[in-house]
Amino acid sequence: MANHSFIWPIVTALVTLAGCSSSALETAYRRQSIDTLDRYFQTWHESIVPISDEELIHAEEVEQATYAVYEQTFSPFDYPSIGGDSLTAMKYRYVVIQGTVPYIIVDSSSLKMIRKGSVDHFRPRVPRIKGITIPLTPEHESELNAFLDRGEERVSFLQHYMYVLHQHWGKGWHIATPPVITRLQFNQTFLSARVWFRVGYEFGQASLTKQGGLWILSNAEIDAIE
């Protein structure tokens, strides 16, 4: 019989950590304390280190390209370049970055799909003048959803400091600061890309080309609404 005695302390520690984190969020709300809220998000921020140059060098080409597209042209701080409100990201104390980016690779001529997948545990290097920028994890998404589901007062509290929007269909909340990439398409040479993205209840598309080692946005538009 396997000895599971060493597992339980780890499980207990994780459950305790999650409980403490959730408790900190609730305490911040009950006290209306920005200091407590700052500690909650700062702890989250410090637990996820942005991807390093060394990690990217050894990553797959599609992962390298995904990070480059996001960091160079498509983070929330670049939203004005695709026709968005320049205050969308800058007005928030906490900017939450999507934690997963789905992608497909297509044949350059036929556009037939060659491969699909996603870059998970997404940790882009997004510069920030002030405030806290953090990648979204499944654990934190679940925790924030549970907090927000407890009433509009909690929603209003967080909306002062971060992007929060109720999902149209079913339960749940949009928490990642827009624009959020819903699909990223590369040609097989990784010299052109197409981005499908969401901004609140609206959807759009953008085209990019790689020139001189940099991804350049050629056009973008909102073309649908939920």
Side-chain angles (χ1 to χ4, degrees):
M1 181 181 296
N3 183 358
H4 298 294
S5 61
F6 71 95
I7 296 177
W8 292 111
I10 298 174
V11 173
T12 302
L14 289 174
V15 171
T16 301
L17 180 60
C20 289
S21 181
S22 178
S23 175
L25 191 58
E26 183 65 22
T27 299
Y29 163 70
R30 290 183 179 278
R31 295 178 179 175
Q32 297 293 295
S33 170
I34 187 61
D35 289 339
T36 305
L37 198 61
D38 269 346
R39 286 195 294 273
Y40 168 81
F41 281 100
Q42 187 64 40
T43 299
W44 177 359
H45 170 77
E46 291 174 355
S47 71
I48 305 174
V49 179
I51 194 166
S52 66
D53 290 339
E54 183 69 18
E55 288 176 291
L56 270 179
I57 288 172
H58 294 96
E60 284 189 84
E61 188 172 13
V62 65
E63 187 170 351
Q64 294 176 354
T66 299
Y67 272 95
V69 164
Y70 191 90
E71 292 176 354
Q72 294 173 17
T73 67
F74 230 83
S75 83
F77 303 103
D78 293 304
Y79 187 31
S81 68
I82 61 173
D85 179 0
S86 61
L87 297 179
T88 298
M90 293 305 295
K91 70 180 179 181
Y92 293 118
R93 190 178 187 91
Y94 315 113
V95 172
V96 179
I97 303 297
Q98 65 187 103
T100 297
V101 180
Y103 67 79
I104 62 173
I105 302 171
V106 300
D107 181 87
S108 300
S109 300
S110 67
L111 298 183
K112 288 184 178 179
M113 186 176 68
I114 298 172
R115 174 186 169 189
K116 68 176 180 178
S118 62
V119 176
D120 301 317
H121 311 295
F122 191 54
R123 300 173 289 127
R125 299 159 298 184
V126 180
R128 186 76 203 269
I129 296 174
K130 61 180 180 178
I132 301 172
T133 303
I134 34 183
L136 187 60
T137 66
E139 295 78 16
H140 284 97
E141 184 171 20
S142 176
E143 183 176 282
L144 285 167
N145 270 285
F147 176 80
L148 293 165
D149 283 342
R150 296 185 64 186
E152 287 300 320
E153 295 84 359
R154 287 169 176 77
V155 176
S156 296
F157 173 65
L158 277 188
Q159 280 179 329
H160 286 295
Y161 307 109
M162 63 175 284
Y163 177 85
V164 175
L165 183 67
H166 199 288
Q167 291 186 9
H168 259 169
W169 314 115
K171 291 184 177 181
W173 303 86
H174 297 298
I175 296 170
T177 308
V180 173
I181 296 175
T182 57
R183 185 174 65 176
L184 179 53
Q185 175 183 297
F186 294 105
N187 71 342
Q188 64 192 108
T189 59
F190 293 97
L191 292 177
S192 68
R194 191 156 188 80
V195 180
W196 284 261
F197 62 92
R198 166 192 279 275
V199 179
Y201 299 134
E202 298 180 321
F203 300 89
Q205 297 184 41
S207 298
L208 304 95
T209 56
K210 193 172 185 181
Q211 303 173 24
L214 297 176
W215 285 95
I216 307 299
L217 186 72
S218 54
N219 72 283
E221 61 179 353
I222 297 292
D223 58 9
I225 188 168
E226 194 171 52

mmCIF file of all heavy atoms in Angstrom, residues 143-179:
data_model
loop_
_atom_site.group_PDB
_atom_site.id
_atom_site.type_symbol
_atom_site.label_atom_id
_atom_site.label_comp_id
_atom_site.label_asym_id
_atom_site.label_seq_id
_atom_site.Cartn_x
_atom_site.Cartn_y
_atom_site.Cartn_z
ATOM 1 N N GLU A 143 -11.530 31.944 -6.963
ATOM 2 C CA GLU A 143 -11.658 32.700 -5.717
ATOM 3 C C GLU A 143 -12.381 34.029 -5.944
ATOM 4 O O GLU A 143 -13.295 34.396 -5.185
ATOM 5 C CB GLU A 143 -10.267 32.940 -5.158
ATOM 6 C CG GLU A 143 -10.220 33.660 -3.836
ATOM 7 C CD GLU A 143 -8.782 33.741 -3.352
ATOM 8 O OE1 GLU A 143 -8.281 32.727 -2.846
ATOM 9 O OE2 GLU A 143 -8.161 34.801 -3.525
ATOM 10 N N LEU A 144 -11.989 34.741 -6.994
ATOM 11 C CA LEU A 144 -12.627 36.022 -7.292
ATOM 12 C C LEU A 144 -14.080 35.843 -7.714
ATOM 13 O O LEU A 144 -14.952 36.629 -7.336
ATOM 14 C CB LEU A 144 -11.841 36.753 -8.384
ATOM 15 C CG LEU A 144 -10.531 37.392 -7.920
ATOM 16 C CD1 LEU A 144 -9.683 37.805 -9.121
ATOM 17 C CD2 LEU A 144 -10.794 38.602 -7.035
ATOM 18 N N ASN A 145 -14.356 34.799 -8.492
ATOM 19 C CA ASN A 145 -15.741 34.514 -8.890
ATOM 20 C C ASN A 145 -16.612 34.258 -7.669
ATOM 21 O O ASN A 145 -17.742 34.756 -7.574
ATOM 22 C CB ASN A 145 -15.794 33.318 -9.838
ATOM 23 C CG ASN A 145 -15.682 33.723 -11.295
ATOM 24 O OD1 ASN A 145 -16.620 34.230 -11.889
ATOM 25 N ND2 ASN A 145 -14.519 33.511 -11.878
ATOM 26 N N ALA A 146 -16.099 33.460 -6.733
ATOM 27 C CA ALA A 146 -16.858 33.155 -5.519
ATOM 28 C C ALA A 146 -17.123 34.429 -4.721
ATOM 29 O O ALA A 146 -18.228 34.630 -4.179
ATOM 30 C CB ALA A 146 -16.100 32.134 -4.675
ATOM 31 N N PHE A 147 -16.127 35.298 -4.639
ATOM 32 C CA PHE A 147 -16.286 36.565 -3.912
ATOM 33 C C PHE A 147 -17.335 37.441 -4.597
ATOM 34 O O PHE A 147 -18.241 37.984 -3.940
ATOM 35 C CB PHE A 147 -14.937 37.279 -3.848
ATOM 36 C CG PHE A 147 -14.987 38.636 -3.212
ATOM 37 C CD1 PHE A 147 -14.999 38.778 -1.833
ATOM 38 C CD2 PHE A 147 -15.000 39.782 -4.001
ATOM 39 C CE1 PHE A 147 -15.033 40.038 -1.241
ATOM 40 C CE2 PHE A 147 -15.042 41.042 -3.429
ATOM 41 C CZ PHE A 147 -15.058 41.166 -2.040
ATOM 42 N N LEU A 148 -17.241 37.577 -5.907
ATOM 43 C CA LEU A 148 -18.153 38.448 -6.647
ATOM 44 C C LEU A 148 -19.577 37.914 -6.655
ATOM 45 O O LEU A 148 -20.540 38.692 -6.692
ATOM 46 C CB LEU A 148 -17.645 38.617 -8.084
ATOM 47 C CG LEU A 148 -16.326 39.384 -8.229
ATOM 48 C CD1 LEU A 148 -15.740 39.178 -9.617
ATOM 49 C CD2 LEU A 148 -16.535 40.870 -7.949
ATOM 50 N N ASP A 149 -19.728 36.597 -6.607
ATOM 51 C CA ASP A 149 -21.060 35.993 -6.604
ATOM 52 C C ASP A 149 -21.833 36.292 -5.322
ATOM 53 O O ASP A 149 -23.040 36.040 -5.255
ATOM 54 C CB ASP A 149 -20.958 34.470 -6.775
ATOM 55 C CG ASP A 149 -20.673 34.063 -8.208
ATOM 56 O OD1 ASP A 149 -20.888 34.884 -9.115
ATOM 57 O OD2 ASP A 149 -20.230 32.913 -8.424
ATOM 58 N N ARG A 150 -21.174 36.831 -4.324
ATOM 59 C CA ARG A 150 -21.814 37.062 -3.032
ATOM 60 C C ARG A 150 -22.587 38.378 -2.963
ATOM 61 O O ARG A 150 -23.155 38.699 -1.927
ATOM 62 C CB ARG A 150 -20.774 37.001 -1.913
ATOM 63 C CG ARG A 150 -20.135 35.625 -1.764
ATOM 64 C CD ARG A 150 -19.203 35.555 -0.590
ATOM 65 N NE ARG A 150 -19.892 35.751 0.672
ATOM 66 C CZ ARG A 150 -19.276 35.847 1.850
ATOM 67 N NH1 ARG A 150 -17.953 35.778 1.903
ATOM 68 N NH2 ARG A 150 -19.976 36.014 2.952
ATOM 69 N N GLY A 151 -22.605 39.135 -4.059
ATOM 70 C CA GLY A 151 -23.450 40.316 -4.044
ATOM 71 C C GLY A 151 -22.860 41.518 -4.754
ATOM 72 O O GLY A 151 -21.649 41.625 -4.948
ATOM 73 N N GLU A 152 -23.754 42.411 -5.164
ATOM 74 C CA GLU A 152 -23.356 43.582 -5.936
ATOM 75 C C GLU A 152 -22.459 44.528 -5.146
ATOM 76 O O GLU A 152 -21.676 45.273 -5.733
ATOM 77 C CB GLU A 152 -24.597 44.332 -6.429
ATOM 78 C CG GLU A 152 -25.342 43.628 -7.545
ATOM 79 C CD GLU A 152 -24.470 43.423 -8.783
ATOM 80 O OE1 GLU A 152 -23.693 44.338 -9.131
ATOM 81 O OE2 GLU A 152 -24.575 42.350 -9.394
ATOM 82 N N GLU A 153 -22.573 44.523 -3.813
ATOM 83 C CA GLU A 153 -21.717 45.399 -3.016
ATOM 84 C C GLU A 153 -20.249 45.024 -3.181
ATOM 85 O O GLU A 153 -19.374 45.896 -3.278
ATOM 86 C CB GLU A 153 -22.098 45.329 -1.532
ATOM 87 C CG GLU A 153 -23.484 45.849 -1.208
ATOM 88 C CD GLU A 153 -24.565 44.793 -1.416
ATOM 89 O OE1 GLU A 153 -24.227 43.655 -1.832
ATOM 90 O OE2 GLU A 153 -25.743 45.114 -1.161
ATOM 91 N N ARG A 154 -19.980 43.718 -3.253
ATOM 92 C CA ARG A 154 -18.606 43.259 -3.446
ATOM 93 C C ARG A 154 -18.129 43.552 -4.862
ATOM 94 O O ARG A 154 -16.967 43.876 -5.081
ATOM 95 C CB ARG A 154 -18.507 41.771 -3.120
ATOM 96 C CG ARG A 154 -18.579 41.478 -1.622
ATOM 97 C CD ARG A 154 -18.753 39.987 -1.335
ATOM 98 N NE ARG A 154 -18.719 39.724 0.097
ATOM 99 C CZ ARG A 154 -19.731 39.967 0.932
ATOM 100 N NH1 ARG A 154 -20.870 40.474 0.448
ATOM 101 N NH2 ARG A 154 -19.622 39.700 2.228
ATOM 102 N N VAL A 155 -19.047 43.448 -5.807
ATOM 103 C CA VAL A 155 -18.710 43.787 -7.199
ATOM 104 C C VAL A 155 -18.310 45.255 -7.289
ATOM 105 O O VAL A 155 -17.271 45.599 -7.861
ATOM 106 C CB VAL A 155 -19.908 43.502 -8.138
ATOM 107 C CG1 VAL A 155 -19.585 43.961 -9.567
ATOM 108 C CG2 VAL A 155 -20.259 42.018 -8.126
ATOM 109 N N SER A 156 -19.122 46.127 -6.707
ATOM 110 C CA SER A 156 -18.839 47.561 -6.745
ATOM 111 C C SER A 156 -17.513 47.883 -6.061
ATOM 112 O O SER A 156 -16.756 48.744 -6.525
ATOM 113 C CB SER A 156 -19.971 48.336 -6.060
ATOM 114 O OG SER A 156 -21.177 48.165 -6.764
ATOM 115 N N PHE A 157 -17.226 47.183 -4.974
ATOM 116 C CA PHE A 157 -15.975 47.399 -4.255
ATOM 117 C C PHE A 157 -14.777 47.124 -5.153
ATOM 118 O O PHE A 157 -13.864 47.952 -5.266
ATOM 119 C CB PHE A 157 -15.942 46.493 -3.019
ATOM 120 C CG PHE A 157 -14.633 46.508 -2.276
ATOM 121 C CD1 PHE A 157 -14.185 47.658 -1.648
ATOM 122 C CD2 PHE A 157 -13.850 45.363 -2.208
ATOM 123 C CE1 PHE A 157 -12.970 47.676 -0.957
ATOM 124 C CE2 PHE A 157 -12.640 45.366 -1.516
ATOM 125 C CZ PHE A 157 -12.205 46.525 -0.896
ATOM 126 N N LEU A 158 -14.770 45.965 -5.832
ATOM 127 C CA LEU A 158 -13.628 45.612 -6.679
ATOM 128 C C LEU A 158 -13.573 46.439 -7.956
ATOM 129 O O LEU A 158 -12.493 46.717 -8.471
ATOM 130 C CB LEU A 158 -13.667 44.122 -7.033
ATOM 131 C CG LEU A 158 -13.091 43.151 -6.007
ATOM 132 C CD1 LEU A 158 -13.017 41.741 -6.589
ATOM 133 C CD2 LEU A 158 -11.709 43.580 -5.530
ATOM 134 N N GLN A 159 -14.739 46.840 -8.470
ATOM 135 C CA GLN A 159 -14.754 47.606 -9.716
ATOM 136 C C GLN A 159 -14.064 48.962 -9.591
ATOM 137 O O GLN A 159 -13.699 49.562 -10.596
ATOM 138 C CB GLN A 159 -16.194 47.800 -10.201
ATOM 139 C CG GLN A 159 -16.755 46.577 -10.913
ATOM 140 C CD GLN A 159 -18.188 46.777 -11.358
ATOM 141 O OE1 GLN A 159 -18.962 47.503 -10.720
ATOM 142 N NE2 GLN A 159 -18.561 46.139 -12.458
ATOM 143 N N HIS A 160 -13.879 49.434 -8.379
ATOM 144 C CA HIS A 160 -13.133 50.675 -8.190
ATOM 145 C C HIS A 160 -11.650 50.480 -8.493
ATOM 146 O O HIS A 160 -10.941 51.443 -8.783
ATOM 147 C CB HIS A 160 -13.274 51.181 -6.750
ATOM 148 C CG HIS A 160 -14.615 51.772 -6.450
ATOM 149 N ND1 HIS A 160 -15.082 52.915 -7.060
ATOM 150 C CD2 HIS A 160 -15.600 51.360 -5.615
ATOM 151 C CE1 HIS A 160 -16.285 53.201 -6.613
ATOM 152 N NE2 HIS A 160 -16.627 52.276 -5.733
ATOM 153 N N TYR A 161 -11.178 49.230 -8.442
ATOM 154 C CA TYR A 161 -9.743 48.978 -8.500
ATOM 155 C C TYR A 161 -9.304 48.061 -9.632
ATOM 156 O O TYR A 161 -8.129 48.049 -9.996
ATOM 157 C CB TYR A 161 -9.278 48.356 -7.174
ATOM 158 C CG TYR A 161 -9.687 49.167 -5.974
ATOM 159 C CD1 TYR A 161 -10.667 48.713 -5.100
ATOM 160 C CD2 TYR A 161 -9.100 50.412 -5.717
ATOM 161 C CE1 TYR A 161 -11.050 49.468 -4.000
ATOM 162 C CE2 TYR A 161 -9.474 51.172 -4.620
ATOM 163 C CZ TYR A 161 -10.462 50.686 -3.766
ATOM 164 O OH TYR A 161 -10.837 51.440 -2.688
ATOM 165 N N MET A 162 -10.226 47.284 -10.224
ATOM 166 C CA MET A 162 -9.865 46.353 -11.293
ATOM 167 C C MET A 162 -11.047 46.172 -12.233
ATOM 168 O O MET A 162 -12.181 46.535 -11.916
ATOM 169 C CB MET A 162 -9.441 44.993 -10.728
ATOM 170 C CG MET A 162 -10.546 44.269 -9.975
ATOM 171 S SD MET A 162 -10.072 42.600 -9.424
ATOM 172 C CE MET A 162 -10.181 41.689 -10.973
ATOM 173 N N TYR A 163 -10.758 45.617 -13.401
ATOM 174 C CA TYR A 163 -11.805 45.373 -14.395
ATOM 175 C C TYR A 163 -12.653 44.180 -13.954
ATOM 176 O O TYR A 163 -12.139 43.087 -13.725
ATOM 177 C CB TYR A 163 -11.165 45.087 -15.752
ATOM 178 C CG TYR A 163 -12.149 44.759 -16.850
ATOM 179 C CD1 TYR A 163 -12.755 45.782 -17.570
ATOM 180 C CD2 TYR A 163 -12.460 43.445 -17.167
ATOM 181 C CE1 TYR A 163 -13.657 45.495 -18.579
ATOM 182 C CE2 TYR A 163 -13.359 43.151 -18.172
ATOM 183 C CZ TYR A 163 -13.956 44.175 -18.883
ATOM 184 O OH TYR A 163 -14.851 43.885 -19.883
ATOM 185 N N VAL A 164 -13.970 44.399 -13.857
ATOM 186 C CA VAL A 164 -14.921 43.335 -13.532
ATOM 187 C C VAL A 164 -16.179 43.560 -14.360
ATOM 188 O O VAL A 164 -16.726 44.663 -14.379
ATOM 189 C CB VAL A 164 -15.296 43.335 -12.029
ATOM 190 C CG1 VAL A 164 -16.383 42.299 -11.764
ATOM 191 C CG2 VAL A 164 -14.088 43.067 -11.153
ATOM 192 N N LEU A 165 -16.631 42.501 -15.037
ATOM 193 C CA LEU A 165 -17.844 42.596 -15.851
ATOM 194 C C LEU A 165 -18.578 41.262 -15.789
ATOM 195 O O LEU A 165 -17.969 40.202 -15.974
ATOM 196 C CB LEU A 165 -17.495 42.924 -17.307
ATOM 197 C CG LEU A 165 -18.669 43.130 -18.269
ATOM 198 C CD1 LEU A 165 -19.448 44.398 -17.898
ATOM 199 C CD2 LEU A 165 -18.172 43.235 -19.710
ATOM 200 N N HIS A 166 -19.880 41.308 -15.528
ATOM 201 C CA HIS A 166 -20.663 40.079 -15.447
ATOM 202 C C HIS A 166 -20.777 39.440 -16.826
ATOM 203 O O HIS A 166 -21.010 40.122 -17.826
ATOM 204 C CB HIS A 166 -22.064 40.370 -14.899
ATOM 205 C CG HIS A 166 -22.761 39.155 -14.360
ATOM 206 N ND1 HIS A 166 -23.259 38.166 -15.172
ATOM 207 C CD2 HIS A 166 -23.006 38.765 -13.081
ATOM 208 C CE1 HIS A 166 -23.818 37.222 -14.425
ATOM 209 N NE2 HIS A 166 -23.662 37.554 -13.156
ATOM 210 N N GLN A 167 -20.605 38.112 -16.890
ATOM 211 C CA GLN A 167 -20.762 37.400 -18.156
ATOM 212 C C GLN A 167 -22.236 37.391 -18.558
ATOM 213 O O GLN A 167 -23.120 37.284 -17.710
ATOM 214 C CB GLN A 167 -20.246 35.969 -18.035
ATOM 215 C CG GLN A 167 -18.744 35.870 -17.868
ATOM 216 C CD GLN A 167 -18.241 34.442 -17.903
ATOM 217 O OE1 GLN A 167 -18.982 33.512 -18.206
ATOM 218 N NE2 GLN A 167 -16.967 34.263 -17.580
ATOM 219 N N HIS A 168 -22.467 37.490 -19.853
ATOM 220 C CA HIS A 168 -23.838 37.505 -20.358
ATOM 221 C C HIS A 168 -24.549 36.181 -20.146
ATOM 222 O O HIS A 168 -25.710 36.123 -19.791
ATOM 223 C CB HIS A 168 -23.832 37.829 -21.860
ATOM 224 C CG HIS A 168 -24.184 39.254 -22.139
ATOM 225 N ND1 HIS A 168 -24.027 39.845 -23.373
ATOM 226 C CD2 HIS A 168 -24.692 40.229 -21.342
ATOM 227 C CE1 HIS A 168 -24.421 41.103 -23.329
ATOM 228 N NE2 HIS A 168 -24.820 41.366 -22.109
ATOM 229 N N TRP A 169 -23.838 35.091 -20.403
ATOM 230 C CA TRP A 169 -24.470 33.783 -20.418
ATOM 231 C C TRP A 169 -24.056 32.978 -19.189
ATOM 232 O O TRP A 169 -22.906 32.613 -19.035
ATOM 233 C CB TRP A 169 -24.098 33.007 -21.686
ATOM 234 C CG TRP A 169 -24.203 33.858 -22.917
ATOM 235 C CD1 TRP A 169 -23.199 34.237 -23.746
ATOM 236 C CD2 TRP A 169 -25.391 34.464 -23.445
ATOM 237 N NE1 TRP A 169 -23.663 35.036 -24.752
ATOM 238 C CE2 TRP A 169 -24.999 35.191 -24.602
ATOM 239 C CE3 TRP A 169 -26.729 34.475 -23.064
ATOM 240 C CZ2 TRP A 169 -25.920 35.902 -25.370
ATOM 241 C CZ3 TRP A 169 -27.640 35.183 -23.832
ATOM 242 C CH2 TRP A 169 -27.237 35.884 -24.968
ATOM 243 N N GLY A 170 -25.004 32.723 -18.293
ATOM 244 C CA GLY A 170 -24.698 31.923 -17.120
ATOM 245 C C GLY A 170 -23.938 32.699 -16.068
ATOM 246 O O GLY A 170 -23.789 33.915 -16.121
ATOM 247 N N LYS A 171 -23.435 31.956 -15.095
ATOM 248 C CA LYS A 171 -22.716 32.584 -14.004
ATOM 249 C C LYS A 171 -21.273 32.862 -14.408
ATOM 250 O O LYS A 171 -20.740 32.282 -15.337
ATOM 251 C CB LYS A 171 -22.743 31.678 -12.771
ATOM 252 C CG LYS A 171 -24.116 31.545 -12.128
ATOM 253 C CD LYS A 171 -24.026 30.716 -10.860
ATOM 254 C CE LYS A 171 -25.381 30.636 -10.169
ATOM 255 N NZ LYS A 171 -25.321 29.851 -8.910
ATOM 256 N N GLY A 172 -20.646 33.718 -13.634
ATOM 257 C CA GLY A 172 -19.235 34.000 -13.879
ATOM 258 C C GLY A 172 -18.998 35.452 -14.224
ATOM 259 O O GLY A 172 -19.927 36.223 -14.476
ATOM 260 N N TRP A 173 -17.708 35.794 -14.259
ATOM 261 C CA TRP A 173 -17.316 37.187 -14.450
ATOM 262 C C TRP A 173 -16.138 37.276 -15.402
ATOM 263 O O TRP A 173 -15.285 36.405 -15.436
ATOM 264 C CB TRP A 173 -16.917 37.794 -13.095
ATOM 265 C CG TRP A 173 -18.009 37.702 -12.088
ATOM 266 C CD1 TRP A 173 -18.287 36.637 -11.259
ATOM 267 C CD2 TRP A 173 -19.014 38.677 -11.818
ATOM 268 N NE1 TRP A 173 -19.389 36.897 -10.496
ATOM 269 C CE2 TRP A 173 -19.854 38.157 -10.807
ATOM 270 C CE3 TRP A 173 -19.274 39.961 -12.320
ATOM 271 C CZ2 TRP A 173 -20.941 38.858 -10.294
ATOM 272 C CZ3 TRP A 173 -20.359 40.662 -11.808
ATOM 273 C CH2 TRP A 173 -21.171 40.115 -10.810
ATOM 274 N N HIS A 174 -16.113 38.360 -16.178
ATOM 275 C CA HIS A 174 -14.925 38.692 -16.950
ATOM 276 C C HIS A 174 -14.003 39.457 -16.006
ATOM 277 O O HIS A 174 -14.376 40.520 -15.492
ATOM 278 C CB HIS A 174 -15.280 39.547 -18.159
ATOM 279 C CG HIS A 174 -16.166 38.858 -19.151
ATOM 280 N ND1 HIS A 174 -15.787 37.722 -19.832
ATOM 281 C CD2 HIS A 174 -17.436 39.142 -19.575
ATOM 282 C CE1 HIS A 174 -16.753 37.335 -20.640
ATOM 283 N NE2 HIS A 174 -17.770 38.176 -20.494
ATOM 284 N N ILE A 175 -12.818 38.902 -15.776
ATOM 285 C CA ILE A 175 -11.899 39.478 -14.792
ATOM 286 C C ILE A 175 -10.614 39.987 -15.451
ATOM 287 O O ILE A 175 -10.039 40.976 -15.008
ATOM 288 C CB ILE A 175 -11.566 38.429 -13.715
ATOM 289 C CG1 ILE A 175 -12.840 38.074 -12.933
ATOM 290 C CG2 ILE A 175 -10.481 38.923 -12.766
ATOM 291 C CD1 ILE A 175 -12.677 36.881 -12.019
ATOM 292 N N ALA A 176 -10.169 39.320 -16.511
ATOM 293 C CA ALA A 176 -8.955 39.763 -17.198
ATOM 294 C C ALA A 176 -9.202 41.110 -17.871
ATOM 295 O O ALA A 176 -10.232 41.325 -18.512
ATOM 296 C CB ALA A 176 -8.522 38.727 -18.230
ATOM 297 N N THR A 177 -8.260 42.025 -17.727
ATOM 298 C CA THR A 177 -8.384 43.359 -18.318
ATOM 299 C C THR A 177 -8.301 43.264 -19.838
ATOM 300 O O THR A 177 -7.383 42.655 -20.373
ATOM 301 C CB THR A 177 -7.266 44.273 -17.796
ATOM 302 O OG1 THR A 177 -7.249 44.218 -16.366
ATOM 303 C CG2 THR A 177 -7.491 45.703 -18.230
ATOM 304 N N PRO A 178 -9.267 43.848 -20.576
ATOM 305 C CA PRO A 178 -9.243 43.749 -22.040
ATOM 306 C C PRO A 178 -8.154 44.613 -22.665
ATOM 307 O O PRO A 178 -7.669 45.549 -22.026
ATOM 308 C CB PRO A 178 -10.643 44.257 -22.432
ATOM 309 C CG PRO A 178 -11.038 45.170 -21.321
ATOM 310 C CD PRO A 178 -10.418 44.584 -20.074
ATOM 311 N N PRO A 179 -7.807 44.283 -23.946
ATOM 312 C CA PRO A 179 -8.402 43.216 -24.751
ATOM 313 C C PRO A 179 -7.882 41.835 -24.351
ATOM 314 O O PRO A 179 -6.717 41.695 -23.966
ATOM 315 C CB PRO A 179 -7.953 43.565 -26.175
ATOM 316 C CG PRO A 179 -6.650 44.271 -25.974
ATOM 317 C CD PRO A 179 -6.796 45.058 -24.705
#
